[in-house]
Amino acid sequence: MTKVMGQLNEGLRSLHEALLGEPMAAAKVRFSVLGFSETVLEHLRLADLRHAEEMPELKPRGRTSYGAAFGDLRQRIPADVDVLKAEGFTVHRPAVFFLSDGQPTDKGWLEVHRQLIDRNVTKGAPNIVACGIGDAQAATIRQVATRDEYGFIANAGTDVGASIARFCTALTKSIVESGRSLGSAQPELVVERPQGFRMAIDVV
């Protein structure tokens, strides 16, 4: 990710700018940014992006422990739900947008993932939208996504930097549209497929 981290940071800045232009949608969204390798690094937590001066600057780190990411979310999400409810917010089912450029370097992550998405185990068990770029494999991304239509893999031969930029564009659209939906009678998670990506279930 070292060579393409600039695209990811630029994508987050664009997301911030887009939400500043959508104050009604942004008011309904609280946004966290986590980076994971062998451990999880919190860059932003439960932020109201209308009041954030800037987005964090992400930097590449080491390995790709999916279990570290899902284990952190397993503890983090219930605590975040409690915080938001204590502040008087109505909390809808959280959404995790998961981006990986490689295969997991750890074993046992599937069990941690299972616990995370099980509503009987984890309060606020999230929907997970998973996008794979680089060396990430479609079969793995399918396992991460909580629904078939939430798993996407970059088209073969696509430049990784371009894939990241397209992921960020789709993420922005999804968050804006989902935020707008929260003010309707039937709120829903709106998932935008990134350009240059296919649904992971369609990749043989």
Side-chain angles (χ1 to χ4, degrees), residues 17-188:
E17 292 173 2
L19 283 176
L20 290 177
E22 294 278 352
M24 296 297 290
K28 302 179 185 299
V29 175
R30 292 298 177 268
F31 193 75
S32 297
V33 178
L34 306 175
F36 70 96
S37 58
E38 292 180 343
T39 59
V40 172
L41 185 60
E42 177 186 292
H43 297 283
L44 196 66
R45 185 169 189 175
L46 294 182
D48 182 340
L49 293 184
R50 297 173 301 165
H51 306 309
E53 293 185 2
E54 59 183 8
M55 294 296 277
E57 192 79 10
L58 306 186
K59 297 181 180 180
R61 294 196 292 145
R63 298 168 69 82
T64 312
S65 174
Y66 282 24
F70 300 138
D72 180 275
L73 290 168
R74 169 83 175 78
Q75 302 300 316
R76 179 182 299 271
I77 288 176
D80 286 353
V81 169
D82 287 342
V83 167
L84 292 172
K85 287 186 174 181
E87 293 177 355
F89 291 102
T90 298
V91 179
H92 298 273
R93 189 175 183 184
V96 171
F97 290 83
F98 179 90
L99 175 67
S100 178
D101 71 335
Q103 286 293 100
T105 55
D106 58 314
K107 298 180 180 180
W109 66 270
L110 276 171
E111 175 59 23
V112 183
H113 176 271
R114 185 198 64 76
Q115 294 175 7
L116 170 64
I117 65 174
D118 187 340
R119 291 187 175 188
N120 295 318
V121 175
T122 301
K123 179 168 63 176
N127 284 306
I128 301 179
V129 179
C131 289
I133 60 176
D135 295 328
Q137 297 178 7
T140 304
I141 294 301
R142 287 198 300 268
Q143 291 176 302
V144 173
T146 48
R147 297 173 62 173
D148 288 342
E149 59 268 36
Y150 291 170
F152 306 100
I153 195 81
N155 291 335
T158 303
D159 176 77
V160 175
S163 296
I164 288 176
R166 292 165 180 163
F167 165 80
C168 290
T169 298
L171 171 61
T172 300
K173 292 179 180 178
S174 296
I175 291 175
V176 169
E177 292 302 322
S178 296
R180 289 174 178 168
S181 171
L182 292 177
S184 69
Q186 294 183 316
E188 62 176 344

